[in-house]
Amino acid sequence: MANMGIEILGTGHHAPARVADNEDFAKIVDTSDEWITSRTGMKRRHISSGEPTWYIASQAAHNALENGGVDPLDLDLIICTTVTPDFQTPSTASMVQRELGAKNAICFDMNAACSGFIFALDTARRYLASGDEVKTALVVSADILSKMVDYTDRSSCVLFGDAAGACVMRAAPGRLYASSLSSDGEGAGLLCARYPFPSNPLQDPALMPQWEDLDSPQDPYLHMAGREVYKFAVKALPHEVMRACQKAGITVEELKWIVPHQANIRIVETAAKNLGVSMDKMVMNLSEYGNTSSASIPVALDEAHRDARICRGDKVAMVGFGGGLTSGAVVLEW
Ligand code: UT7
């Protein structure tokens, strides 16, 4: 398994049609284009006008299959990552399977928040490397964050957008691959959205114990301790990339491209400095999408693949960080 890499056959993405720019946010909260641009690098983001998560996930998956020339019936595995599914059950992966007609695939969802794509890619690679029945795998990451954003909270609402990204892959013996994944539940309360579970008519308030819980508001909106997550992110990003490179037996300089989670341009600039690499190596698109959670890496990856920035033989790192707290990087040869 150690020297079992993956070949990414095709990539794809899809974003809702509606685009909201910084001026749109200045109309609903006390903010400005100047603040958002200088603090985050963001200009625009796509916002769902009703498109469900399963729909944008299916469109991204369809585009990846078409890009790779892969028949949906050849898929053995579909992993979907999302923190904003449309249903508790079925999984979003099952809905994608239904849309694609990929009836031979096993399907499940994973949630590692903004690191989801990295965790899912690594899981898919482990299935592929096991040499069992999974020969072709699809990873699709989709989030409609507008479902859980509080549009009265200026400190968070300007950051997030909606999108889906996907890639289809198979095993590639001997091709470079390594990963570095981390989780830290101690930081669980720093980025949190409660499940909006209704109370039931049979519960007795007197019997309800004082459960130890996260120190976060009781509403179902997404809450983030921005500064703390920022401090975590600027350390996690270089740490995971360096560790994955070390495991792959290459130097950071040998990487042609780094595709980071698109949370904030300042995080990526600081991380690039800490890694000793130029920003030219960083694949960035957050000015056009904002932070789309686990979709952000595969959307940026798809754009860089389609415009031929990423070419066969390039050594590429992808790195995510976010809720959980989670962080992780994959280093591979394209
Ligand atoms: O995807 C998961 C990972 N997420 C991240 O990695 C995000 C990490 N965090 C960040 O990117 C940054 O912390 C933010 C972009 C969220 C915030 O930037 P910041 O430079 O850390 O700002 P701050 O929270 O320290 O706030 C500075 C000031 C505050 O005002 P005072 O207290 O100094 O008067 C805020 O109230 O900026 C104010 N502020 C705003 N002003 C205008 C916060 N949001 C806004 C806003 N417009 N949208």
Side-chain angles (χ1 to χ4, degrees):
M1 176 144 155
N3 63 353
M4 179 62 83
I6 53 175
E7 179 181 6
I8 296 192
L9 303 167
T11 59
H13 82 273
H14 183 82
R18 160 88 167 113
V19 175
D21 64 16
N22 292 347
E23 298 299 343
D24 289 316
F25 283 85
K27 288 178 199 148
I28 58 171
V29 287
D30 181 14
T31 191
S32 63
D33 175 48
E34 196 283 324
W35 191 96
I36 302 171
T37 306
S38 61
R39 297 290 182 125
T40 71
M42 293 165 189
K43 284 287 189 189
R44 284 164 285 278
R45 60 297 277 149
H46 294 254
I47 304 285
S48 169
S49 296
E51 296 101 322
T53 306
W54 65 260
Y55 174 76
I56 62 167
S58 302
Q59 292 296 306
H62 171 80
N63 293 340
L65 292 180
E66 205 169 61
N67 180 246
V70 175
D71 189 321
L73 291 173
D74 289 338
L75 289 178
D76 305 305
L77 171 68
I78 300 175
I79 306 176
C80 182
T81 73
T82 183
V83 293
T84 51
D86 307 296
F87 307 101
Q88 292 303 309
T89 186
S91 68
T92 306
S94 297
M95 295 294 283
V96 170
Q97 175 189 38
R98 176 174 174 264
E99 285 302 295
L100 296 176
K103 63 179 186 185
N104 298 316
I106 54 169
C107 303
F108 58 89
D109 286 3
M110 283 177 63
N111 177 348
C114 302
S115 311
F117 177 74
I118 301 297
F119 279 52
L121 191 67
D122 197 58
T123 302
R125 182 257 178 180
R126 288 171 197 274
Y127 267 97
L128 293 166
S130 75
D132 196 10
E133 288 174 0
V134 174
K135 306 280 181 245
T136 311
L138 173 78
V139 172
V140 52
S141 298
D143 268 305
I144 303 278
L145 293 171
S146 58
K147 284 183 196 177
M148 62 180 184
V149 162
D150 177 357
Y151 285 99
T152 65
D153 174 13
R154 69 173 182 174
S155 68
S156 63
C157 72
V158 302
L159 304 173
F160 299 105
D162 304 334
C167 67
V168 59
M169 70 206 79
R170 66 178 172 216
R175 195 176 288 201
L176 182 93
Y177 180 97
S179 63
S180 168
L181 306 179
S182 309
S183 301
D184 175 15
E186 290 292 321
L190 296 177
L191 223 175
C192 161
R194 286 179 186 278
Y195 179 59
F197 208 84
S199 58
N200 77 66
L202 302 177
Q203 70 190 24
D204 179 352
L207 296 177
M208 285 167 68
Q210 295 298 304
W211 295 106
E212 206 178 303
D213 205 341
L214 296 180
D215 182 19
S216 80
Q218 294 295 316
D219 64 62
Y221 294 121
L222 181 62
H223 294 277
M224 176 169 69
R227 281 186 200 179
E228 281 73 19
V229 176
Y230 188 98
K231 284 185 221 155
F232 155 73
V234 294
K235 282 193 193 140
L237 197 164
H239 169 78
E240 301 297 356
V241 172
M242 282 193 280
R243 189 157 171 266
C245 283
Q246 205 173 28
K247 286 169 80 171
I250 64 165
T251 63
V252 173
E253 291 71 44
E254 286 177 74
L255 293 171
K256 180 82 186 292
W257 297 107
I258 300 175
V259 189
H261 172 44
Q262 311 281 313
N264 188 325
I265 190 76
R266 292 186 295 137
I267 292 174
V268 181
E269 285 169 351
T270 307
K273 216 166 139 192
N274 292 342
L275 281 169
V277 302
S278 141
M279 275 301 283
D280 295 344
K281 246 189 221 295
M282 298 290 184
V283 176
M284 299 304 299
N285 66 1
L286 62 74
S287 64
E288 300 308 308
Y289 292 92
N291 178 345
T292 58
S293 192
S294 65
S296 84
I297 296 171
V299 172
L301 187 71
D302 181 43
E303 290 187 341
H305 175 222
R306 283 176 190 255
D307 68 19
R309 268 174 287 168
I310 296 181
C311 301
R312 178 96 203 229
D314 287 351
K315 293 183 177 70
V316 179
M318 299 171 239
V319 55
F321 49 86
L325 298 170
T326 56
S327 56
V330 158
V331 164
L332 52 76
E333 185 183 331
W334 196 268

